[in-house]
Amino acid sequence: MNNRINFKDAVKLYERDLFELGELADEKRQELHGKKTYFNINRHINPTNVCADVCKFCAYSATRKNPNQYTMSHEEIMKIVDNIVAHDAKEVHIVSAHNPNVTLDWYLGVFKKIKEKYPALHVKALTAAEVDFLSRHHGLTYDEVLDLMIENGVDSMPGGGAEIFDEKVRDYICKGKVTSDQWFKIHRKWHERGKKSNVTMLFGHVESRENRIDHMMRIRELQDITGGFNAFIPLVYQTQNNYLNIDKPITANEILKTYAVARLVLDNVPNLKAYWVTSTVNLALVAQEFGANDLDGTIEKESINSAAGAASANGVDVKEFTGLIKNSGFTPVERDSVYNEIKVW
Ligand code: V47
């Protein structure tokens, strides 16, 4: 592509006035999606918080500041799934900590149970960090883990575990976890199997603007090759109950600039998700004018970010959510997990 934004110019975008930058990103957003804002009816399930890794930003892991360990049984998970299907959910998003005390079948067998009972329910599960953990812990190659995921009914992979790809920052915030190269290797292999995934970026902690741009550039590079990323999801760092000890939270101005810059730099990733869990619903609504065209979903329950202070423990009501999108001048469009449109609300 000829008029691609290079690293230096991307960093310079941050120096622009917020509203000027927003207009540029909005132009791109409108070109791609008009006034449509996508969301889905989904439920997050986090089946265990027992973790072998020690990420400094994490408040969810039970082995850190949270003494309340839990590991759900397949029956408990299925009960939740039965309930959400009865309430019209189209997607279940299953992400766990890295639990060394459970079997591989505990991780994978539940997907098979879900698929056998509800073939139409989309299973988005296992981050690249979990794939790497399962591969190390059970002596399997990435290929073997990914094939097992498909055999057991995983439809797509979430974008977690990306954090910040810069190796120095990564070493500081989550040493020992999946490396950046491994993260990309796993997603590349997944895309080569004809499958889709997302990609996140955890920002607003110790990283610099340059680190964020570097993160986006690495994503753009793989996307040029595979085209397998559906959405880019900047996750705003939540400050509570963890070991990073950031006393100055990121400003709304910098968050909105980051969405806008992402919309402009990631010219080959179709969707930019303002994940309301970490940005707040209010800022996610504003982000619609700064490049974001997706607000994730109703979620119902979420444990990872809410442990660190996000107000997401109980999700949002779909009527209220779509009403807010409409009142902010956009069209709420319910989508499935791979962005087929289901219903205009
Ligand atoms: O990878 C952990 C992040 C992620 C904190 O693919 C934190 O559709 C903020 O990946 N502050 C898991 N974030 C969530 C995730 C996700 C969420 C929504 C949609 C999708 C998708 C993926 O949560 C982890 C980590 O980066 N996280 N601690 C924290 N203190």
Side-chain angles (χ1 to χ4, degrees), residues 146 150 155-159 183-199 219 221-231 269:
L146 296 173
I150 293 173
D155 294 298
S156 69
M157 277 178 69
W183 192 98
F184 278 108
K185 194 172 173 184
I186 290 165
H187 278 262
R188 184 175 181 150
K189 284 176 177 294
W190 184 250
H191 297 167
E192 283 168 357
R193 284 162 168 76
K195 298 286 187 183
K196 295 285 189 183
S197 66
N198 290 332
V199 50
I219 295 165
E221 206 177 304
L222 180 61
Q223 182 75 341
D224 273 345
I225 299 168
T226 66
F229 290 123
N230 268 335
V269 177

PDB file of all heavy atoms in Angstrom, residues 146 150 155-159 183-199 219 221-231 269:
ATOM      1  N   LEU A 146      -3.423 -26.463  18.783  1.00  0.00           N
ATOM      2  CA  LEU A 146      -4.391 -25.777  17.914  1.00  0.00           C
ATOM      3  C   LEU A 146      -5.317 -26.790  17.232  1.00  0.00           C
ATOM      4  O   LEU A 146      -6.529 -26.561  17.127  1.00  0.00           O
ATOM      5  CB  LEU A 146      -3.657 -24.919  16.869  1.00  0.00           C
ATOM      6  CG  LEU A 146      -2.838 -23.756  17.451  1.00  0.00           C
ATOM      7  CD1 LEU A 146      -2.012 -23.073  16.357  1.00  0.00           C
ATOM      8  CD2 LEU A 146      -3.743 -22.716  18.133  1.00  0.00           C
ATOM      9  N   ILE A 150      -9.510 -27.156  17.588  1.00  0.00           N
ATOM     10  CA  ILE A 150     -10.480 -27.255  16.492  1.00  0.00           C
ATOM     11  C   ILE A 150     -11.301 -28.540  16.628  1.00  0.00           C
ATOM     12  O   ILE A 150     -12.531 -28.511  16.530  1.00  0.00           O
ATOM     13  CB  ILE A 150      -9.763 -27.171  15.123  1.00  0.00           C
ATOM     14  CG1 ILE A 150      -9.178 -25.764  14.948  1.00  0.00           C
ATOM     15  CG2 ILE A 150     -10.722 -27.508  13.981  1.00  0.00           C
ATOM     16  CD1 ILE A 150      -8.297 -25.554  13.743  1.00  0.00           C
ATOM     17  N   ASP A 155     -14.190 -22.115  17.881  1.00  0.00           N
ATOM     18  CA  ASP A 155     -14.432 -21.470  16.583  1.00  0.00           C
ATOM     19  C   ASP A 155     -13.444 -20.357  16.285  1.00  0.00           C
ATOM     20  O   ASP A 155     -12.993 -20.194  15.162  1.00  0.00           O
ATOM     21  CB  ASP A 155     -15.847 -20.884  16.556  1.00  0.00           C
ATOM     22  CG  ASP A 155     -16.909 -21.968  16.613  1.00  0.00           C
ATOM     23  OD1 ASP A 155     -16.950 -22.803  15.692  1.00  0.00           O
ATOM     24  OD2 ASP A 155     -17.684 -21.994  17.588  1.00  0.00           O
ATOM     25  N   SER A 156     -13.155 -19.539  17.302  1.00  0.00           N
ATOM     26  CA  SER A 156     -12.187 -18.462  17.066  1.00  0.00           C
ATOM     27  C   SER A 156     -11.402 -18.201  18.346  1.00  0.00           C
ATOM     28  O   SER A 156     -11.789 -18.643  19.423  1.00  0.00           O
ATOM     29  CB  SER A 156     -12.893 -17.178  16.605  1.00  0.00           C
ATOM     30  OG  SER A 156     -13.653 -16.637  17.656  1.00  0.00           O
ATOM     31  N   MET A 157     -10.284 -17.489  18.171  1.00  0.00           N
ATOM     32  CA  MET A 157      -9.434 -17.187  19.336  1.00  0.00           C
ATOM     33  C   MET A 157      -9.586 -15.728  19.746  1.00  0.00           C
ATOM     34  O   MET A 157      -9.568 -14.839  18.897  1.00  0.00           O
ATOM     35  CB  MET A 157      -7.952 -17.441  19.001  1.00  0.00           C
ATOM     36  CG  MET A 157      -7.524 -18.879  19.135  1.00  0.00           C
ATOM     37  SD  MET A 157      -5.790 -19.083  18.658  1.00  0.00           S
ATOM     38  CE  MET A 157      -4.937 -18.224  19.981  1.00  0.00           C
ATOM     39  N   PRO A 158      -9.690 -15.482  21.053  1.00  0.00           N
ATOM     40  CA  PRO A 158      -9.706 -14.093  21.514  1.00  0.00           C
ATOM     41  C   PRO A 158      -8.308 -13.470  21.402  1.00  0.00           C
ATOM     42  O   PRO A 158      -7.328 -14.174  21.168  1.00  0.00           O
ATOM     43  CB  PRO A 158     -10.142 -14.214  22.969  1.00  0.00           C
ATOM     44  CG  PRO A 158      -9.763 -15.589  23.392  1.00  0.00           C
ATOM     45  CD  PRO A 158      -9.740 -16.451  22.156  1.00  0.00           C
ATOM     46  N   GLY A 159      -8.264 -12.167  21.618  1.00  0.00           N
ATOM     47  CA  GLY A 159      -7.000 -11.460  21.379  1.00  0.00           C
ATOM     48  C   GLY A 159      -6.136 -11.253  22.606  1.00  0.00           C
ATOM     49  O   GLY A 159      -5.151 -10.510  22.563  1.00  0.00           O
ATOM     50  N   TRP A 183       3.564 -15.406  20.466  1.00  0.00           N
ATOM     51  CA  TRP A 183       2.163 -14.967  20.332  1.00  0.00           C
ATOM     52  C   TRP A 183       1.787 -14.895  18.851  1.00  0.00           C
ATOM     53  O   TRP A 183       0.739 -15.406  18.437  1.00  0.00           O
ATOM     54  CB  TRP A 183       1.971 -13.604  21.013  1.00  0.00           C
ATOM     55  CG  TRP A 183       0.530 -13.204  21.192  1.00  0.00           C
ATOM     56  CD1 TRP A 183      -0.222 -13.331  22.315  1.00  0.00           C
ATOM     57  CD2 TRP A 183      -0.333 -12.624  20.207  1.00  0.00           C
ATOM     58  NE1 TRP A 183      -1.494 -12.872  22.089  1.00  0.00           N
ATOM     59  CE2 TRP A 183      -1.590 -12.440  20.807  1.00  0.00           C
ATOM     60  CE3 TRP A 183      -0.168 -12.257  18.875  1.00  0.00           C
ATOM     61  CZ2 TRP A 183      -2.676 -11.893  20.132  1.00  0.00           C
ATOM     62  CZ3 TRP A 183      -1.258 -11.729  18.185  1.00  0.00           C
ATOM     63  CH2 TRP A 183      -2.495 -11.538  18.810  1.00  0.00           C
ATOM     64  N   PHE A 184       2.684 -14.276  18.051  1.00  0.00           N
ATOM     65  CA  PHE A 184       2.400 -14.146  16.607  1.00  0.00           C
ATOM     66  C   PHE A 184       2.451 -15.497  15.894  1.00  0.00           C
ATOM     67  O   PHE A 184       1.680 -15.747  14.974  1.00  0.00           O
ATOM     68  CB  PHE A 184       3.366 -13.153  15.963  1.00  0.00           C
ATOM     69  CG  PHE A 184       2.943 -11.730  16.159  1.00  0.00           C
ATOM     70  CD1 PHE A 184       3.624 -10.886  17.032  1.00  0.00           C
ATOM     71  CD2 PHE A 184       1.828 -11.220  15.508  1.00  0.00           C
ATOM     72  CE1 PHE A 184       3.200  -9.582  17.236  1.00  0.00           C
ATOM     73  CE2 PHE A 184       1.401  -9.907  15.698  1.00  0.00           C
ATOM     74  CZ  PHE A 184       2.093  -9.087  16.566  1.00  0.00           C
ATOM     75  N   LYS A 185       3.378 -16.353  16.327  1.00  0.00           N
ATOM     76  CA  LYS A 185       3.495 -17.676  15.712  1.00  0.00           C
ATOM     77  C   LYS A 185       2.178 -18.447  15.886  1.00  0.00           C
ATOM     78  O   LYS A 185       1.675 -19.070  14.947  1.00  0.00           O
ATOM     79  CB  LYS A 185       4.647 -18.425  16.411  1.00  0.00           C
ATOM     80  CG  LYS A 185       5.113 -19.657  15.698  1.00  0.00           C
ATOM     81  CD  LYS A 185       6.356 -20.174  16.381  1.00  0.00           C
ATOM     82  CE  LYS A 185       6.760 -21.512  15.798  1.00  0.00           C
ATOM     83  NZ  LYS A 185       7.896 -22.095  16.480  1.00  0.00           N
ATOM     84  N   ILE A 186       1.628 -18.383  17.090  1.00  0.00           N
ATOM     85  CA  ILE A 186       0.386 -19.102  17.384  1.00  0.00           C
ATOM     86  C   ILE A 186      -0.770 -18.549  16.547  1.00  0.00           C
ATOM     87  O   ILE A 186      -1.520 -19.304  15.926  1.00  0.00           O
ATOM     88  CB  ILE A 186       0.077 -19.036  18.898  1.00  0.00           C
ATOM     89  CG1 ILE A 186       1.095 -19.879  19.667  1.00  0.00           C
ATOM     90  CG2 ILE A 186      -1.343 -19.486  19.209  1.00  0.00           C
ATOM     91  CD1 ILE A 186       1.151 -19.625  21.170  1.00  0.00           C
ATOM     92  N   HIS A 187      -0.896 -17.215  16.490  1.00  0.00           N
ATOM     93  CA  HIS A 187      -2.004 -16.643  15.699  1.00  0.00           C
ATOM     94  C   HIS A 187      -1.812 -16.913  14.206  1.00  0.00           C
ATOM     95  O   HIS A 187      -2.780 -17.173  13.489  1.00  0.00           O
ATOM     96  CB  HIS A 187      -2.152 -15.142  15.989  1.00  0.00           C
ATOM     97  CG  HIS A 187      -2.936 -14.905  17.253  1.00  0.00           C
ATOM     98  ND1 HIS A 187      -4.272 -14.598  17.281  1.00  0.00           N
ATOM     99  CD2 HIS A 187      -2.539 -15.006  18.558  1.00  0.00           C
ATOM    100  CE1 HIS A 187      -4.686 -14.501  18.547  1.00  0.00           C
ATOM    101  NE2 HIS A 187      -3.641 -14.731  19.333  1.00  0.00           N
ATOM    102  N   ARG A 188      -0.556 -16.892  13.762  1.00  0.00           N
ATOM    103  CA  ARG A 188      -0.311 -17.183  12.352  1.00  0.00           C
ATOM    104  C   ARG A 188      -0.766 -18.609  12.012  1.00  0.00           C
ATOM    105  O   ARG A 188      -1.439 -18.855  11.019  1.00  0.00           O
ATOM    106  CB  ARG A 188       1.177 -17.000  12.042  1.00  0.00           C
ATOM    107  CG  ARG A 188       1.461 -17.191  10.588  1.00  0.00           C
ATOM    108  CD  ARG A 188       2.916 -16.901  10.228  1.00  0.00           C
ATOM    109  NE  ARG A 188       3.060 -17.092   8.803  1.00  0.00           N
ATOM    110  CZ  ARG A 188       3.905 -16.448   8.041  1.00  0.00           C
ATOM    111  NH1 ARG A 188       4.719 -15.572   8.551  1.00  0.00           N
ATOM    112  NH2 ARG A 188       3.956 -16.681   6.748  1.00  0.00           N
ATOM    113  N   LYS A 189      -0.387 -19.537  12.874  1.00  0.00           N
ATOM    114  CA  LYS A 189      -0.782 -20.939  12.662  1.00  0.00           C
ATOM    115  C   LYS A 189      -2.310 -21.079  12.690  1.00  0.00           C
ATOM    116  O   LYS A 189      -2.894 -21.842  11.935  1.00  0.00           O
ATOM    117  CB  LYS A 189      -0.144 -21.846  13.732  1.00  0.00           C
ATOM    118  CG  LYS A 189       1.341 -22.108  13.495  1.00  0.00           C
ATOM    119  CD  LYS A 189       1.916 -22.932  14.637  1.00  0.00           C
ATOM    120  CE  LYS A 189       3.378 -23.277  14.402  1.00  0.00           C
ATOM    121  NZ  LYS A 189       3.579 -24.171  13.250  1.00  0.00           N
ATOM    122  N   TRP A 190      -2.939 -20.364  13.583  1.00  0.00           N
ATOM    123  CA  TRP A 190      -4.414 -20.396  13.681  1.00  0.00           C
ATOM    124  C   TRP A 190      -5.038 -19.856  12.382  1.00  0.00           C
ATOM    125  O   TRP A 190      -5.943 -20.464  11.817  1.00  0.00           O
ATOM    126  CB  TRP A 190      -4.838 -19.571  14.900  1.00  0.00           C
ATOM    127  CG  TRP A 190      -6.303 -19.587  15.198  1.00  0.00           C
ATOM    128  CD1 TRP A 190      -7.177 -18.546  15.047  1.00  0.00           C
ATOM    129  CD2 TRP A 190      -7.083 -20.679  15.727  1.00  0.00           C
ATOM    130  NE1 TRP A 190      -8.439 -18.913  15.456  1.00  0.00           N
ATOM    131  CE2 TRP A 190      -8.415 -20.219  15.871  1.00  0.00           C
ATOM    132  CE3 TRP A 190      -6.792 -21.996  16.092  1.00  0.00           C
ATOM    133  CZ2 TRP A 190      -9.450 -21.026  16.362  1.00  0.00           C
ATOM    134  CZ3 TRP A 190      -7.826 -22.797  16.577  1.00  0.00           C
ATOM    135  CH2 TRP A 190      -9.124 -22.318  16.706  1.00  0.00           C
ATOM    136  N   HIS A 191      -4.514 -18.738  11.910  1.00  0.00           N
ATOM    137  CA  HIS A 191      -5.037 -18.156  10.657  1.00  0.00           C
ATOM    138  C   HIS A 191      -4.787 -19.105   9.486  1.00  0.00           C
ATOM    139  O   HIS A 191      -5.624 -19.222   8.586  1.00  0.00           O
ATOM    140  CB  HIS A 191      -4.368 -16.803  10.357  1.00  0.00           C
ATOM    141  CG  HIS A 191      -4.656 -15.751  11.394  1.00  0.00           C
ATOM    142  ND1 HIS A 191      -3.951 -14.560  11.462  1.00  0.00           N
ATOM    143  CD2 HIS A 191      -5.560 -15.704  12.410  1.00  0.00           C
ATOM    144  CE1 HIS A 191      -4.416 -13.832  12.466  1.00  0.00           C
ATOM    145  NE2 HIS A 191      -5.385 -14.505  13.058  1.00  0.00           N
ATOM    146  N   GLU A 192      -3.639 -19.766   9.503  1.00  0.00           N
ATOM    147  CA  GLU A 192      -3.333 -20.691   8.400  1.00  0.00           C
ATOM    148  C   GLU A 192      -4.291 -21.885   8.375  1.00  0.00           C
ATOM    149  O   GLU A 192      -4.400 -22.578   7.379  1.00  0.00           O
ATOM    150  CB  GLU A 192      -1.879 -21.172   8.507  1.00  0.00           C
ATOM    151  CG  GLU A 192      -0.902 -20.112   8.030  1.00  0.00           C
ATOM    152  CD  GLU A 192       0.558 -20.402   8.383  1.00  0.00           C
ATOM    153  OE1 GLU A 192       0.828 -21.414   9.067  1.00  0.00           O
ATOM    154  OE2 GLU A 192       1.414 -19.608   7.967  1.00  0.00           O
ATOM    155  N   ARG A 193      -4.981 -22.103   9.478  1.00  0.00           N
ATOM    156  CA  ARG A 193      -6.016 -23.148   9.523  1.00  0.00           C
ATOM    157  C   ARG A 193      -7.367 -22.597   9.068  1.00  0.00           C
ATOM    158  O   ARG A 193      -8.406 -23.236   9.272  1.00  0.00           O
ATOM    159  CB  ARG A 193      -6.118 -23.710  10.949  1.00  0.00           C
ATOM    160  CG  ARG A 193      -4.969 -24.668  11.295  1.00  0.00           C
ATOM    161  CD  ARG A 193      -4.824 -24.858  12.793  1.00  0.00           C
ATOM    162  NE  ARG A 193      -3.933 -25.967  13.112  1.00  0.00           N
ATOM    163  CZ  ARG A 193      -2.606 -25.924  13.019  1.00  0.00           C
ATOM    164  NH1 ARG A 193      -2.003 -24.809  12.609  1.00  0.00           N
ATOM    165  NH2 ARG A 193      -1.863 -26.982  13.319  1.00  0.00           N
ATOM    166  N   GLY A 194      -7.354 -21.378   8.532  1.00  0.00           N
ATOM    167  CA  GLY A 194      -8.605 -20.782   8.034  1.00  0.00           C
ATOM    168  C   GLY A 194      -9.464 -20.202   9.140  1.00  0.00           C
ATOM    169  O   GLY A 194     -10.655 -19.953   8.945  1.00  0.00           O
ATOM    170  N   LYS A 195      -8.866 -19.954  10.298  1.00  0.00           N
ATOM    171  CA  LYS A 195      -9.632 -19.473  11.450  1.00  0.00           C
ATOM    172  C   LYS A 195      -9.333 -18.003  11.729  1.00  0.00           C
ATOM    173  O   LYS A 195      -8.253 -17.502  11.403  1.00  0.00           O
ATOM    174  CB  LYS A 195      -9.273 -20.302  12.689  1.00  0.00           C
ATOM    175  CG  LYS A 195      -9.616 -21.776  12.553  1.00  0.00           C
ATOM    176  CD  LYS A 195     -11.108 -21.959  12.661  1.00  0.00           C
ATOM    177  CE  LYS A 195     -11.487 -23.419  12.692  1.00  0.00           C
ATOM    178  NZ  LYS A 195     -12.937 -23.599  12.738  1.00  0.00           N
ATOM    179  N   LYS A 196     -10.264 -17.357  12.412  1.00  0.00           N
ATOM    180  CA  LYS A 196     -10.122 -15.938  12.735  1.00  0.00           C
ATOM    181  C   LYS A 196      -9.766 -15.731  14.209  1.00  0.00           C
ATOM    182  O   LYS A 196     -10.058 -16.570  15.051  1.00  0.00           O
ATOM    183  CB  LYS A 196     -11.444 -15.206  12.459  1.00  0.00           C
ATOM    184  CG  LYS A 196     -11.822 -15.187  10.986  1.00  0.00           C
ATOM    185  CD  LYS A 196     -10.965 -14.201  10.228  1.00  0.00           C
ATOM    186  CE  LYS A 196     -11.479 -14.025   8.806  1.00  0.00           C
ATOM    187  NZ  LYS A 196     -10.618 -13.124   8.015  1.00  0.00           N
ATOM    188  N   SER A 197      -9.168 -14.575  14.478  1.00  0.00           N
ATOM    189  CA  SER A 197      -8.858 -14.230  15.869  1.00  0.00           C
ATOM    190  C   SER A 197      -8.891 -12.713  16.026  1.00  0.00           C
ATOM    191  O   SER A 197      -9.035 -11.978  15.047  1.00  0.00           O
ATOM    192  CB  SER A 197      -7.473 -14.774  16.258  1.00  0.00           C
ATOM    193  OG  SER A 197      -6.461 -14.121  15.518  1.00  0.00           O
ATOM    194  N   ASN A 198      -8.741 -12.282  17.263  1.00  0.00           N
ATOM    195  CA  ASN A 198      -8.628 -10.853  17.564  1.00  0.00           C
ATOM    196  C   ASN A 198      -7.248 -10.567  18.120  1.00  0.00           C
ATOM    197  O   ASN A 198      -6.479 -11.488  18.418  1.00  0.00           O
ATOM    198  CB  ASN A 198      -9.675 -10.448  18.599  1.00  0.00           C
ATOM    199  CG  ASN A 198     -11.077 -10.482  18.035  1.00  0.00           C
ATOM    200  OD1 ASN A 198     -11.264 -10.294  16.830  1.00  0.00           O
ATOM    201  ND2 ASN A 198     -12.058 -10.733  18.879  1.00  0.00           N
ATOM    202  N   VAL A 199      -6.950  -9.296  18.305  1.00  0.00           N
ATOM    203  CA  VAL A 199      -5.673  -8.919  18.922  1.00  0.00           C
ATOM    204  C   VAL A 199      -5.891  -7.721  19.832  1.00  0.00           C
ATOM    205  O   VAL A 199      -6.571  -6.761  19.459  1.00  0.00           O
ATOM    206  CB  VAL A 199      -4.576  -8.673  17.857  1.00  0.00           C
ATOM    207  CG1 VAL A 199      -5.039  -7.738  16.751  1.00  0.00           C
ATOM    208  CG2 VAL A 199      -3.284  -8.152  18.504  1.00  0.00           C
ATOM    209  N   ILE A 219       1.319  -5.975  14.317  1.00  0.00           N
ATOM    210  CA  ILE A 219       0.017  -6.567  13.955  1.00  0.00           C
ATOM    211  C   ILE A 219      -0.231  -6.382  12.450  1.00  0.00           C
ATOM    212  O   ILE A 219      -0.653  -7.306  11.748  1.00  0.00           O
ATOM    213  CB  ILE A 219      -1.119  -5.882  14.753  1.00  0.00           C
ATOM    214  CG1 ILE A 219      -0.979  -6.174  16.251  1.00  0.00           C
ATOM    215  CG2 ILE A 219      -2.475  -6.311  14.238  1.00  0.00           C
ATOM    216  CD1 ILE A 219      -1.811  -5.269  17.139  1.00  0.00           C
ATOM    217  N   GLU A 221       1.817  -6.103  10.122  1.00  0.00           N
ATOM    218  CA  GLU A 221       2.696  -6.967   9.327  1.00  0.00           C
ATOM    219  C   GLU A 221       2.100  -8.381   9.177  1.00  0.00           C
ATOM    220  O   GLU A 221       2.048  -8.919   8.074  1.00  0.00           O
ATOM    221  CB  GLU A 221       4.040  -7.050  10.040  1.00  0.00           C
ATOM    222  CG  GLU A 221       5.211  -7.342   9.132  1.00  0.00           C
ATOM    223  CD  GLU A 221       6.492  -7.330   9.957  1.00  0.00           C
ATOM    224  OE1 GLU A 221       6.765  -6.302  10.615  1.00  0.00           O
ATOM    225  OE2 GLU A 221       7.192  -8.361   9.952  1.00  0.00           O
ATOM    226  N   LEU A 222       1.646  -8.967  10.269  1.00  0.00           N
ATOM    227  CA  LEU A 222       1.064 -10.320  10.149  1.00  0.00           C
ATOM    228  C   LEU A 222      -0.259 -10.266   9.386  1.00  0.00           C
ATOM    229  O   LEU A 222      -0.553 -11.144   8.572  1.00  0.00           O
ATOM    230  CB  LEU A 222       0.843 -10.980  11.526  1.00  0.00           C
ATOM    231  CG  LEU A 222       0.236 -12.393  11.426  1.00  0.00           C
ATOM    232  CD1 LEU A 222       1.158 -13.347  10.662  1.00  0.00           C
ATOM    233  CD2 LEU A 222      -0.081 -12.993  12.786  1.00  0.00           C
ATOM    234  N   GLN A 223      -1.023  -9.202   9.623  1.00  0.00           N
ATOM    235  CA  GLN A 223      -2.320  -9.099   8.944  1.00  0.00           C
ATOM    236  C   GLN A 223      -2.139  -9.022   7.423  1.00  0.00           C
ATOM    237  O   GLN A 223      -2.948  -9.571   6.684  1.00  0.00           O
ATOM    238  CB  GLN A 223      -3.084  -7.874   9.475  1.00  0.00           C
ATOM    239  CG  GLN A 223      -4.466  -7.681   8.898  1.00  0.00           C
ATOM    240  CD  GLN A 223      -5.509  -8.662   9.443  1.00  0.00           C
ATOM    241  OE1 GLN A 223      -5.169  -9.717   9.983  1.00  0.00           O
ATOM    242  NE2 GLN A 223      -6.769  -8.325   9.279  1.00  0.00           N
ATOM    243  N   ASP A 224      -1.064  -8.386   6.972  1.00  0.00           N
ATOM    244  CA  ASP A 224      -0.779  -8.345   5.529  1.00  0.00           C
ATOM    245  C   ASP A 224      -0.618  -9.755   4.972  1.00  0.00           C
ATOM    246  O   ASP A 224      -0.961 -10.030   3.836  1.00  0.00           O
ATOM    247  CB  ASP A 224       0.523  -7.575   5.264  1.00  0.00           C
ATOM    248  CG  ASP A 224       0.278  -6.076   5.121  1.00  0.00           C
ATOM    249  OD1 ASP A 224      -0.889  -5.682   4.950  1.00  0.00           O
ATOM    250  OD2 ASP A 224       1.265  -5.316   5.179  1.00  0.00           O
ATOM    251  N   ILE A 225      -0.063 -10.639   5.792  1.00  0.00           N
ATOM    252  CA  ILE A 225       0.211 -12.005   5.325  1.00  0.00           C
ATOM    253  C   ILE A 225      -1.030 -12.888   5.423  1.00  0.00           C
ATOM    254  O   ILE A 225      -1.375 -13.604   4.487  1.00  0.00           O
ATOM    255  CB  ILE A 225       1.372 -12.626   6.153  1.00  0.00           C
ATOM    256  CG1 ILE A 225       2.645 -11.781   5.972  1.00  0.00           C
ATOM    257  CG2 ILE A 225       1.635 -14.076   5.745  1.00  0.00           C
ATOM    258  CD1 ILE A 225       3.745 -12.123   6.962  1.00  0.00           C
ATOM    259  N   THR A 226      -1.735 -12.826   6.572  1.00  0.00           N
ATOM    260  CA  THR A 226      -2.812 -13.804   6.799  1.00  0.00           C
ATOM    261  C   THR A 226      -4.223 -13.232   6.659  1.00  0.00           C
ATOM    262  O   THR A 226      -5.147 -13.968   6.316  1.00  0.00           O
ATOM    263  CB  THR A 226      -2.726 -14.394   8.228  1.00  0.00           C
ATOM    264  OG1 THR A 226      -3.003 -13.354   9.171  1.00  0.00           O
ATOM    265  CG2 THR A 226      -1.365 -15.003   8.508  1.00  0.00           C
ATOM    266  N   GLY A 227      -4.401 -11.946   6.965  1.00  0.00           N
ATOM    267  CA  GLY A 227      -5.754 -11.367   6.954  1.00  0.00           C
ATOM    268  C   GLY A 227      -6.672 -11.981   8.012  1.00  0.00           C
ATOM    269  O   GLY A 227      -7.886 -11.859   7.933  1.00  0.00           O
ATOM    270  N   GLY A 228      -6.092 -12.614   9.023  1.00  0.00           N
ATOM    271  CA  GLY A 228      -6.916 -13.376   9.970  1.00  0.00           C
ATOM    272  C   GLY A 228      -7.441 -12.615  11.183  1.00  0.00           C
ATOM    273  O   GLY A 228      -8.239 -13.161  11.947  1.00  0.00           O
ATOM    274  N   PHE A 229      -6.994 -11.373  11.374  1.00  0.00           N
ATOM    275  CA  PHE A 229      -7.496 -10.626  12.544  1.00  0.00           C
ATOM    276  C   PHE A 229      -8.818  -9.930  12.206  1.00  0.00           C
ATOM    277  O   PHE A 229      -8.886  -9.152  11.259  1.00  0.00           O
ATOM    278  CB  PHE A 229      -6.494  -9.558  12.998  1.00  0.00           C
ATOM    279  CG  PHE A 229      -5.233 -10.118  13.616  1.00  0.00           C
ATOM    280  CD1 PHE A 229      -3.991  -9.795  13.089  1.00  0.00           C
ATOM    281  CD2 PHE A 229      -5.295 -10.951  14.726  1.00  0.00           C
ATOM    282  CE1 PHE A 229      -2.817 -10.293  13.660  1.00  0.00           C
ATOM    283  CE2 PHE A 229      -4.132 -11.460  15.304  1.00  0.00           C
ATOM    284  CZ  PHE A 229      -2.889 -11.130  14.765  1.00  0.00           C
ATOM    285  N   ASN A 230      -9.821 -10.190  13.018  1.00  0.00           N
ATOM    286  CA  ASN A 230     -11.112  -9.514  12.845  1.00  0.00           C
ATOM    287  C   ASN A 230     -11.101  -8.131  13.461  1.00  0.00           C
ATOM    288  O   ASN A 230     -11.657  -7.199  12.918  1.00  0.00           O
ATOM    289  CB  ASN A 230     -12.214 -10.304  13.573  1.00  0.00           C
ATOM    290  CG  ASN A 230     -12.885 -11.307  12.670  1.00  0.00           C
ATOM    291  OD1 ASN A 230     -12.903 -11.143  11.451  1.00  0.00           O
ATOM    292  ND2 ASN A 230     -13.430 -12.344  13.264  1.00  0.00           N
ATOM    293  N   ALA A 231     -10.510  -8.039  14.656  1.00  0.00           N
ATOM    294  CA  ALA A 231     -10.626  -6.781  15.396  1.00  0.00           C
ATOM    295  C   ALA A 231      -9.384  -6.492  16.228  1.00  0.00           C
ATOM    296  O   ALA A 231      -8.752  -7.410  16.756  1.00  0.00           O
ATOM    297  CB  ALA A 231     -11.842  -6.837  16.321  1.00  0.00           C
ATOM    298  N   VAL A 269      -6.910  -3.924   9.331  1.00  0.00           N
ATOM    299  CA  VAL A 269      -7.738  -4.641  10.317  1.00  0.00           C
ATOM    300  C   VAL A 269      -9.123  -3.992  10.282  1.00  0.00           C
ATOM    301  O   VAL A 269      -9.252  -2.803  10.561  1.00  0.00           O
ATOM    302  CB  VAL A 269      -7.133  -4.559  11.742  1.00  0.00           C
ATOM    303  CG1 VAL A 269      -8.037  -5.254  12.758  1.00  0.00           C
ATOM    304  CG2 VAL A 269      -5.739  -5.177  11.764  1.00  0.00           C
TER     305      VAL A 269
END
